[in-house]
PDB file of all heavy atoms in Angstrom:
ATOM      1  N   ALA A 301     112.690  94.268  73.289  1.00 96.00           N
ATOM      2  CA  ALA A 301     112.258  95.350  74.169  1.00 96.00           C
ATOM      3  C   ALA A 301     112.327  96.744  73.578  1.00 96.00           C
ATOM      4  O   ALA A 301     111.395  97.582  73.734  1.00 96.00           O
ATOM      5  CB  ALA A 301     112.965  95.269  75.548  1.00 96.00           C
ATOM      6  N   ALA A 302     113.397  97.065  72.863  1.00 95.00           N
ATOM      7  CA  ALA A 302     113.514  98.323  72.224  1.00 95.00           C
ATOM      8  C   ALA A 302     112.468  98.500  71.215  1.00 95.00           C
ATOM      9  O   ALA A 302     111.945  99.649  71.012  1.00 95.00           O
ATOM     10  CB  ALA A 302     114.965  98.420  71.600  1.00 95.00           C
ATOM     11  N   LEU A 303     112.123  97.514  70.430  1.00 95.00           N
ATOM     12  CA  LEU A 303     111.064  97.547  69.409  1.00 95.00           C
ATOM     13  C   LEU A 303     109.678  97.841  70.110  1.00 95.00           C
ATOM     14  O   LEU A 303     108.902  98.586  69.580  1.00 95.00           O
ATOM     15  CB  LEU A 303     111.028  96.365  68.546  1.00 95.00           C
ATOM     16  CG  LEU A 303     112.060  96.290  67.464  1.00 95.00           C
ATOM     17  CD1 LEU A 303     112.107  94.875  66.894  1.00 95.00           C
ATOM     18  CD2 LEU A 303     111.645  97.228  66.346  1.00 95.00           C
ATOM     19  N   LEU A 304     109.519  97.222  71.258  1.00 97.00           N
ATOM     20  CA  LEU A 304     108.176  97.409  72.033  1.00 97.00           C
ATOM     21  C   LEU A 304     108.097  98.870  72.430  1.00 97.00           C
ATOM     22  O   LEU A 304     107.055  99.444  72.429  1.00 97.00           O
ATOM     23  CB  LEU A 304     108.060  96.383  73.130  1.00 97.00           C
ATOM     24  CG  LEU A 304     107.880  95.000  72.788  1.00 97.00           C
ATOM     25  CD1 LEU A 304     107.764  94.150  74.097  1.00 97.00           C
ATOM     26  CD2 LEU A 304     106.635  94.799  71.929  1.00 97.00           C
ATOM     27  N   ARG A 305     109.259  99.410  72.891  1.00 97.00           N
ATOM     28  CA  ARG A 305     109.194 100.812  73.279  1.00 97.00           C
ATOM     29  C   ARG A 305     108.784 101.699  72.073  1.00 97.00           C
ATOM     30  O   ARG A 305     108.016 102.602  72.227  1.00 97.00           O
ATOM     31  CB  ARG A 305     110.561 101.261  73.832  1.00 97.00           C
ATOM     32  CG  ARG A 305     110.567 102.669  74.396  1.00 97.00           C
ATOM     33  CD  ARG A 305     111.918 103.076  74.752  1.00 97.00           C
ATOM     34  NE  ARG A 305     112.518 102.378  75.913  1.00 97.00           N
ATOM     35  CZ  ARG A 305     112.316 102.809  77.147  1.00 97.00           C
ATOM     36  NH1 ARG A 305     111.529 103.868  77.404  1.00 97.00           N
ATOM     37  NH2 ARG A 305     112.825 102.101  78.220  1.00 97.00           N
ATOM     38  N   ARG A 306     109.420 101.389  70.906  1.00 96.00           N
ATOM     39  CA  ARG A 306     109.015 102.214  69.720  1.00 96.00           C
ATOM     40  C   ARG A 306     107.524 102.005  69.298  1.00 96.00           C
ATOM     41  O   ARG A 306     106.920 103.041  68.970  1.00 96.00           O
ATOM     42  CB  ARG A 306     109.950 101.838  68.550  1.00 96.00           C
ATOM     43  CG  ARG A 306     111.207 102.611  68.526  1.00 96.00           C
ATOM     44  CD  ARG A 306     111.985 102.263  67.233  1.00 96.00           C
ATOM     45  NE  ARG A 306     112.972 101.207  67.477  1.00 96.00           N
ATOM     46  CZ  ARG A 306     113.565 100.486  66.609  1.00 96.00           C
ATOM     47  NH1 ARG A 306     113.246 100.725  65.340  1.00 96.00           N
ATOM     48  NH2 ARG A 306     114.471  99.606  66.883  1.00 96.00           N
ATOM     49  N   ILE A 307     107.057 100.887  69.523  1.00 97.00           N
ATOM     50  CA  ILE A 307     105.691 100.565  69.199  1.00 97.00           C
ATOM     51  C   ILE A 307     104.699 101.349  70.105  1.00 97.00           C
ATOM     52  O   ILE A 307     103.747 102.010  69.707  1.00 97.00           O
ATOM     53  CB  ILE A 307     105.364  99.075  69.296  1.00 97.00           C
ATOM     54  CG1 ILE A 307     106.008  98.315  68.155  1.00 97.00           C
ATOM     55  CG2 ILE A 307     103.798  98.795  69.207  1.00 97.00           C
ATOM     56  CD1 ILE A 307     106.033  96.766  68.321  1.00 97.00           C
ATOM     57  N   ALA A 308     105.092 101.398  71.462  1.00 97.00           N
ATOM     58  CA  ALA A 308     104.266 102.123  72.402  1.00 97.00           C
ATOM     59  C   ALA A 308     104.283 103.626  72.035  1.00 97.00           C
ATOM     60  O   ALA A 308     103.228 104.213  72.124  1.00 97.00           O
ATOM     61  CB  ALA A 308     104.854 101.897  73.725  1.00 97.00           C
ATOM     62  N   MET A 309     105.428 104.113  71.635  1.00 97.00           N
ATOM     63  CA  MET A 309     105.499 105.538  71.430  1.00 97.00           C
ATOM     64  C   MET A 309     104.719 105.940  70.125  1.00 97.00           C
ATOM     65  O   MET A 309     104.008 106.955  70.003  1.00 97.00           O
ATOM     66  CB  MET A 309     106.918 105.976  71.179  1.00 97.00           C
ATOM     67  CG  MET A 309     107.822 105.979  72.482  1.00 97.00           C
ATOM     68  SD  MET A 309     107.238 107.019  73.822  1.00 97.00           S
ATOM     69  CE  MET A 309     106.277 105.785  74.775  1.00 97.00           C
ATOM     70  N   LEU A 310     104.756 105.009  69.069  1.00 97.00           N
ATOM     71  CA  LEU A 310     103.994 105.235  67.849  1.00 97.00           C
ATOM     72  C   LEU A 310     102.430 105.230  68.161  1.00 97.00           C
ATOM     73  O   LEU A 310     101.708 106.083  67.688  1.00 97.00           O
ATOM     74  CB  LEU A 310     104.283 104.148  66.811  1.00 97.00           C
ATOM     75  CG  LEU A 310     105.667 104.267  66.176  1.00 97.00           C
ATOM     76  CD1 LEU A 310     105.971 103.001  65.429  1.00 97.00           C
ATOM     77  CD2 LEU A 310     105.658 105.474  65.238  1.00 97.00           C
ATOM     78  N   ASP A 311     102.030 104.349  69.030  1.00 97.00           N
ATOM     79  CA  ASP A 311     100.597 104.306  69.380  1.00 97.00           C
ATOM     80  C   ASP A 311     100.216 105.435  70.223  1.00 97.00           C
ATOM     81  O   ASP A 311      99.156 106.049  69.998  1.00 97.00           O
ATOM     82  CB  ASP A 311     100.283 102.956  70.198  1.00 97.00           C
ATOM     83  CG  ASP A 311      98.811 102.773  70.418  1.00 97.00           C
ATOM     84  OD1 ASP A 311      98.153 102.256  69.501  1.00 97.00           O
ATOM     85  OD2 ASP A 311      98.298 103.299  71.439  1.00 97.00           O
ATOM     86  N   GLU A 312     101.094 105.904  71.114  1.00 98.00           N
ATOM     87  CA  GLU A 312     100.814 107.074  71.922  1.00 98.00           C
ATOM     88  C   GLU A 312     100.664 108.353  71.035  1.00 98.00           C
ATOM     89  O   GLU A 312      99.837 109.191  71.255  1.00 98.00           O
ATOM     90  CB  GLU A 312     101.835 107.368  73.056  1.00 98.00           C
ATOM     91  CG  GLU A 312     101.665 106.440  74.314  1.00 98.00           C
ATOM     92  CD  GLU A 312     102.518 106.764  75.367  1.00 98.00           C
ATOM     93  OE1 GLU A 312     103.378 107.685  75.296  1.00 98.00           O
ATOM     94  OE2 GLU A 312     102.434 106.044  76.465  1.00 98.00           O
ATOM     95  N   ALA A 313     101.483 108.464  70.007  1.00 97.00           N
ATOM     96  CA  ALA A 313     101.439 109.583  69.136  1.00 97.00           C
ATOM     97  C   ALA A 313     100.079 109.566  68.365  1.00 97.00           C
ATOM     98  O   ALA A 313      99.460 110.617  68.162  1.00 97.00           O
ATOM     99  CB  ALA A 313     102.564 109.517  68.148  1.00 97.00           C
ATOM    100  N   ASP A 314      99.597 108.359  67.863  1.00 97.00           N
ATOM    101  CA  ASP A 314      98.354 108.260  67.253  1.00 97.00           C
ATOM    102  C   ASP A 314      97.224 108.611  68.204  1.00 97.00           C
ATOM    103  O   ASP A 314      96.258 109.302  67.782  1.00 97.00           O
ATOM    104  CB  ASP A 314      98.105 106.886  66.804  1.00 97.00           C
ATOM    105  CG  ASP A 314      98.880 106.560  65.481  1.00 97.00           C
ATOM    106  OD1 ASP A 314      99.660 107.412  65.045  1.00 97.00           O
ATOM    107  OD2 ASP A 314      98.850 105.363  65.029  1.00 97.00           O
ATOM    108  N   PHE A 315      97.344 108.222  69.471  1.00 98.00           N
ATOM    109  CA  PHE A 315      96.310 108.531  70.426  1.00 98.00           C
ATOM    110  C   PHE A 315      96.232 110.040  70.725  1.00 98.00           C
ATOM    111  O   PHE A 315      95.150 110.598  70.799  1.00 98.00           O
ATOM    112  CB  PHE A 315      96.591 107.780  71.758  1.00 98.00           C
ATOM    113  CG  PHE A 315      95.579 108.200  72.837  1.00 98.00           C
ATOM    114  CD1 PHE A 315      94.274 107.641  72.837  1.00 98.00           C
ATOM    115  CD2 PHE A 315      95.977 108.989  73.821  1.00 98.00           C
ATOM    116  CE1 PHE A 315      93.447 108.051  73.793  1.00 98.00           C
ATOM    117  CE2 PHE A 315      95.158 109.397  74.846  1.00 98.00           C
ATOM    118  CZ  PHE A 315      93.769 108.875  74.829  1.00 98.00           C
ATOM    119  N   ILE A 316      97.362 110.697  70.844  1.00 98.00           N
ATOM    120  CA  ILE A 316      97.378 112.149  71.068  1.00 98.00           C
ATOM    121  C   ILE A 316      96.755 112.809  69.924  1.00 98.00           C
ATOM    122  O   ILE A 316      96.014 113.883  70.106  1.00 98.00           O
ATOM    123  CB  ILE A 316      98.870 112.590  71.336  1.00 98.00           C
ATOM    124  CG1 ILE A 316      99.356 112.083  72.625  1.00 98.00           C
ATOM    125  CG2 ILE A 316      98.939 114.128  71.249  1.00 98.00           C
ATOM    126  CD1 ILE A 316      98.662 112.603  73.902  1.00 98.00           C
ATOM    127  N   ALA A 317      96.942 112.425  68.727  1.00 98.00           N
ATOM    128  CA  ALA A 317      96.391 113.015  67.492  1.00 98.00           C
ATOM    129  C   ALA A 317      94.854 112.903  67.540  1.00 98.00           C
ATOM    130  O   ALA A 317      94.100 113.851  67.254  1.00 98.00           O
ATOM    131  CB  ALA A 317      96.931 112.423  66.258  1.00 98.00           C
ATOM    132  N   GLU A 318      94.386 111.688  67.953  1.00 97.00           N
ATOM    133  CA  GLU A 318      92.917 111.487  68.092  1.00 97.00           C
ATOM    134  C   GLU A 318      92.343 112.308  69.113  1.00 97.00           C
ATOM    135  O   GLU A 318      91.221 112.966  68.982  1.00 97.00           O
ATOM    136  CB  GLU A 318      92.656 110.002  68.396  1.00 97.00           C
ATOM    137  CG  GLU A 318      93.112 109.040  67.357  1.00 97.00           C
ATOM    138  CD  GLU A 318      93.170 107.580  67.739  1.00 97.00           C
ATOM    139  OE1 GLU A 318      92.628 107.401  68.982  1.00 97.00           O
ATOM    140  OE2 GLU A 318      93.734 106.718  67.058  1.00 97.00           O
ATOM    141  N   LEU A 319      92.967 112.415  70.321  1.00 98.00           N
ATOM    142  CA  LEU A 319      92.551 113.308  71.384  1.00 98.00           C
ATOM    143  C   LEU A 319      92.474 114.811  70.959  1.00 98.00           C
ATOM    144  O   LEU A 319      91.516 115.478  71.335  1.00 98.00           O
ATOM    145  CB  LEU A 319      93.427 113.043  72.575  1.00 98.00           C
ATOM    146  CG  LEU A 319      93.088 113.962  73.788  1.00 98.00           C
ATOM    147  CD1 LEU A 319      91.684 113.616  74.409  1.00 98.00           C
ATOM    148  CD2 LEU A 319      94.206 113.873  74.903  1.00 98.00           C
ATOM    149  N   SER A 320      93.553 115.177  70.262  1.00 98.00           N
ATOM    150  CA  SER A 320      93.518 116.619  69.830  1.00 98.00           C
ATOM    151  C   SER A 320      92.366 116.976  68.953  1.00 98.00           C
ATOM    152  O   SER A 320      91.762 117.953  69.080  1.00 98.00           O
ATOM    153  CB  SER A 320      94.839 116.874  69.163  1.00 98.00           C
ATOM    154  OG  SER A 320      94.946 118.152  68.673  1.00 98.00           O
ATOM    155  N   THR A 321      92.060 116.079  68.041  1.00 98.00           N
ATOM    156  CA  THR A 321      90.899 116.276  67.157  1.00 98.00           C
ATOM    157  C   THR A 321      89.574 116.323  67.837  1.00 98.00           C
ATOM    158  O   THR A 321      88.764 117.232  67.633  1.00 98.00           O
ATOM    159  CB  THR A 321      90.854 115.064  66.140  1.00 98.00           C
ATOM    160  OG1 THR A 321      92.100 115.001  65.301  1.00 98.00           O
ATOM    161  CG2 THR A 321      89.695 115.250  65.160  1.00 98.00           C
ATOM    162  N   LEU A 322      89.414 115.415  68.848  1.00 97.00           N
ATOM    163  CA  LEU A 322      88.173 115.452  69.655  1.00 97.00           C
ATOM    164  C   LEU A 322      87.999 116.727  70.413  1.00 97.00           C
ATOM    165  O   LEU A 322      86.937 117.304  70.466  1.00 97.00           O
ATOM    166  CB  LEU A 322      88.115 114.235  70.631  1.00 97.00           C
ATOM    167  CG  LEU A 322      87.898 112.852  69.980  1.00 97.00           C
ATOM    168  CD1 LEU A 322      88.201 111.775  70.990  1.00 97.00           C
ATOM    169  CD2 LEU A 322      86.515 112.782  69.417  1.00 97.00           C
TER     170      LEU A 322
END
Side-chain angles (χ1 to χ4, degrees):
L303 278 167
L304 289 181
R305 184 186 292 273
R306 270 185 269 165
I307 291 168
M309 293 302 100
L310 287 168
D311 187 86
E312 281 189 359
D314 284 359
F315 174 76
I316 291 297
E318 295 165 11
L319 177 64
S320 179
T321 300
L322 289 170

